[in-house]
Amino acid sequence: MTLRFGVVGTGAIGREHINRITNKLSGGKIVAVTDVNHESATQTVETYQLDAVVYPDDKALIADPNVDAVLVTSWGPAHEETVVAAVEAGKYVFCEKPLATTGEGCLRIVEAEMKQGKKLVQVGFMRRYDTGYAQLKQAIDNHVIGQPLMIHAAHRNPEVGENYTTDMAVVDTLIHEIDVLHWLVEDDYKSVQVVFPRKTQFAHDKLHDPQLFIIETQSGIVIDVEVFVNCKYGYDIQCEVIGEEGIAKLPEFPSIVLRKDEKLSTGILNDWKYRFMDAYNIEIQDFIDSVTKKGEPQGPTSWDGYIAAVTSDACVKAQQTGEKELIELQERPDFYSEKKTQTV
């Protein structure tokens, strides 16, 4: 079976996924596209030589009986309406983060999906498909280091533009740690506090950088995540889990060891796309395979999107108040209780 995709949003990430499905992966085909910029959608079809219909809007695309799955890569605030419409039409959905911009919006998607009686939605948290994080997950699940006690993590970018503001450190950057760390320890978050260290000279007036997020889980695991988006030296993702019997650390991204000019060195990436390129490929391939062979996506669910949204809101509030803020989630429905662990 070929999974026929309709793509909503033909910007950078939309085009990357279109290229991925068309030229790199198996079992999927792009049959429809739409974008608020009609010219962008038309150019995308021409660039990738797609046999696809260009629709004026997402509603028309979703109504196409030839579309099995909707790939949502549009502007974040538009996601909720598109996803709800697709789910109500019984279509599978792969939605890049955020699933919705509020917890309430995510719950509307959850309710629509539950009415359909089966899981239809996967959220694009690609780190779960990274081989390094998969190894960490395996070590934790197999109790190699005993019960986790603490996690030290860092998300560093070489630099960001003038449009990047303090809250974006949460909604655009920390959001990935919010999901993947919750997945690693399978423990809901309880509270968050934000500390602002001395500000780097490279941060503009509307940005506090770096930031330190201190998150506590329901079982008492303490997580600290450094977000430093003007670190200058490269794109660097770190994660270290401290357990009762040992420590498990995310492996460094592979790089040759260079001996030159009286120095021993390895390279560091400066672009996030290269760091998680394989994870993106594995993620979309898993979505295609799960839908066509098992009838349901196996990746991050609508409920995971809800957890990320509520936690994100609490983190932004903690930025503003300087206080420890509670992360209050509704009770998880039985519909989402089945444990799903990705394999890579």
Side-chain angles (χ1 to χ4, degrees):
M1 175 183 172
T2 297
L3 190 66
R4 299 169 298 181
F5 283 91
V7 181
V8 179
T10 55
I13 190 65
R15 291 190 177 208
E16 286 183 14
H17 283 331
I18 287 170
N19 180 53
R20 186 170 282 115
I21 292 167
T22 303
N23 298 314
K24 297 180 180 180
L25 309 181
S26 61
K29 181 181 179 181
I30 309 299
V31 299
V33 300
T34 189
D35 193 282
V36 291
N37 182 341
H38 188 77
E39 183 179 350
S40 172
T42 301
Q43 288 178 347
T44 299
V45 170
E46 294 172 353
T47 299
Y48 296 100
Q49 300 180 340
L50 304 175
D51 181 17
V53 180
V54 178
Y55 282 104
D57 55 40
D58 56 349
K59 293 180 177 59
L61 180 143
I62 291 167
D64 185 343
N66 290 318
V67 171
D68 304 311
V70 180
L71 182 64
V72 182
T73 52
S74 53
W75 186 46
H79 287 186
E80 178 190 342
E81 184 177 351
T82 300
V83 175
V84 168
V87 168
E88 289 178 343
K91 309 277 181 166
Y92 294 102
V93 178
F94 183 95
C95 181
E96 280 297 342
K97 59 88 180 170
L99 179 63
T101 55
T102 65
E104 291 78 7
C106 291
L107 286 178
R108 283 189 282 271
I109 293 170
V110 163
E111 291 168 2
E113 188 175 32
M114 290 174 63
K115 286 181 180 178
Q116 293 294 328
K118 70 174 184 177
K119 296 183 183 71
L120 295 170
V121 179
Q122 178 167 329
V123 185
F125 289 123
M126 77 292 186
R127 288 199 189 179
R128 299 189 187 197
Y129 292 91
D130 175 73
T131 55
Y133 279 109
Q135 291 175 67
L136 267 184
K137 175 69 171 170
Q138 186 176 36
I140 292 169
D141 286 353
N142 291 336
H143 306 290
V144 173
I145 60 172
Q147 290 294 331
L149 306 174
M150 296 179 287
I151 299 177
H152 306 304
H155 190 143
R156 303 183 184 121
N157 290 65
E159 61 183 4
V160 293
E162 291 289 322
N163 65 326
Y164 190 102
T165 53
T166 297
D167 64 310
M168 292 174 69
V170 174
V171 298
D172 282 4
T173 302
L174 181 69
I175 192 73
H176 288 289
E177 273 76 19
I178 287 172
D179 176 73
V180 78
L181 299 180
H182 179 272
W183 171 71
L184 280 177
V185 298
E186 296 183 4
D187 191 4
D188 283 343
Y189 299 130
K190 179 180 179 180
S191 66
V192 60
Q193 188 168 9
V194 183
V195 176
F196 294 107
R198 177 179 175 178
K199 183 176 176 177
T200 174
Q201 64 175 315
F202 300 111
H204 59 76
D205 292 342
K206 296 180 180 179
L207 172 63
H208 287 281
D209 188 43
Q211 302 178 40
L212 185 66
F213 296 84
I214 303 169
I215 302 171
E216 186 177 355
T217 72
Q218 292 291 340
S219 73
I221 300 170
V222 175
I223 302 168
D224 61 83
V225 185
E226 169 204 323
V227 175
F228 188 10
V229 294
N230 288 282
C231 76
K232 293 302 177 184
Y233 71 85
Y235 181 74
D236 191 12
I237 302 298
Q238 299 289 328
C239 184
E240 184 178 59
V241 183
I242 314 300
E244 293 175 317
E245 301 172 16
I247 296 173
K249 187 174 182 180
L250 188 71
E252 297 289 341
F253 190 78
S255 174
I256 62 169
V257 178
L258 183 64
R259 287 174 166 84
K260 186 177 181 181
D261 298 331
E262 301 176 348
K263 294 179 181 178
L264 180 66
S265 63
T266 59
I268 296 177
L269 295 174
N270 64 3
D271 192 325
W272 61 269
K273 288 182 292 186
Y274 297 109
R275 172 63 180 83
F276 292 108
M277 185 66 71
D278 289 343
Y280 277 115
N281 291 336
I282 296 168
E283 170 190 50
I284 300 296
Q285 187 65 68
D286 180 72
F287 177 79
I288 294 170
D289 293 344
S290 297
V291 168
T292 56
K293 298 175 183 178
K294 300 178 181 179
E296 287 187 351
Q298 305 296 297
T301 66
S302 298
W303 191 256
D304 294 313
Y306 165 71
I307 292 172
V310 172
T311 305
S312 176
D313 286 347
C315 290
V316 172
K317 185 176 181 181
Q319 286 177 324
Q320 298 166 348
T321 65
E323 303 293 331
K324 180 183 287 189
E325 298 294 341
L326 296 181
I327 301 169
E328 298 178 303
L329 300 170
Q330 292 193 14
E331 185 176 353
R332 181 191 298 264
D334 291 340
F335 185 84
Y336 295 102
S337 294
E338 185 179 358
K339 180 180 176 182
K340 299 290 186 182
T341 301
Q342 287 75 41
T343 58
V344 297

